[in-house]
Amino acid sequence: MIQCKRAYLPAADEDGQRVLVDRLWPRNCRKEDLPLDGWLPQLAPTTALRREFKGGLLDFATFRQRYRQELAAHPEHWWPLLERAAGGTLTLVYAARDERENNARVLAEWLEEELERRADPSSPTCYAGKPLE
């Protein structure tokens, strides 16, 4: 199971593995106060894409499409999260105020699709040169 949670909400036992998926550390949040199992800033949208979306130059649909293109171009960034998600609950931690339209939601959707593809015996056996085991 993959879920998303704001960095400013308290951690819970049901969060499972908690991974921060923002390029920048959350504001006003001390590192020792944010329980995490990892921080993968390279998984976040590029700085240019994040700024365009945050600045209102892109709507969420366009942001989502462009971020998914970035994810497709770098499977080495998200591939390790598939194993974590397959092994139990994975919580993608993010700092955005909007709980519905943010990079963690897009990433969660992407990872869920990849997990489904891995489980589907009729799907291809490799993705971007990596076996789907």
Side-chain angles (χ1 to χ4, degrees):
M1 179 170 100
I2 300 171
Q3 58 188 11
C4 301
K5 191 172 189 177
R6 288 195 76 218
Y8 305 103
L9 296 174
D13 291 338
E14 57 271 8
D15 288 348
Q17 294 275 315
R18 292 171 48 93
V19 178
L20 179 63
V21 293
D22 283 343
R23 191 166 298 277
L24 304 174
W25 192 263
R27 287 184 179 188
N28 301 319
C29 191
R30 294 171 28 163
K31 289 186 180 182
E32 58 271 10
D33 293 339
L34 184 57
L36 294 172
D37 296 294
W39 177 23
L40 299 174
Q42 71 275 14
L43 254 176
T46 59
T47 300
L49 181 57
R50 181 182 54 81
R51 285 181 179 161
E52 287 178 5
F53 179 56
K54 190 174 179 181
L57 300 173
L58 300 176
D59 64 6
F60 184 69
T62 304
F63 168 79
R64 181 182 170 275
Q65 177 186 18
R66 289 186 43 198
Y67 181 37
R68 289 176 64 90
Q69 290 171 347
E70 291 180 357
L71 291 169
H74 294 284
E76 70 276 10
H77 293 168
W78 51 263
W79 192 263
L81 287 182
L82 290 180
E83 296 305 318
R84 289 186 187 206
T89 303
L90 172 65
T91 299
L92 304 178
V93 179
Y94 65 95
R97 288 184 183 157
D98 191 324
E99 295 185 17
R100 290 180 292 125
E101 296 184 345
N102 61 63
N103 65 297
R105 296 283 177 201
V106 177
L107 178 58
E109 175 186 87
W110 177 271
L111 293 172
E112 287 169 353
E113 290 170 6
E114 287 300 318
L115 285 171
E116 287 175 19
R117 191 172 292 122
R118 287 178 70 179
D120 182 3
S122 67
S123 67
T125 58
C126 86
Y127 181 83
K130 296 192 177 214
L132 289 177
E133 302 173 351

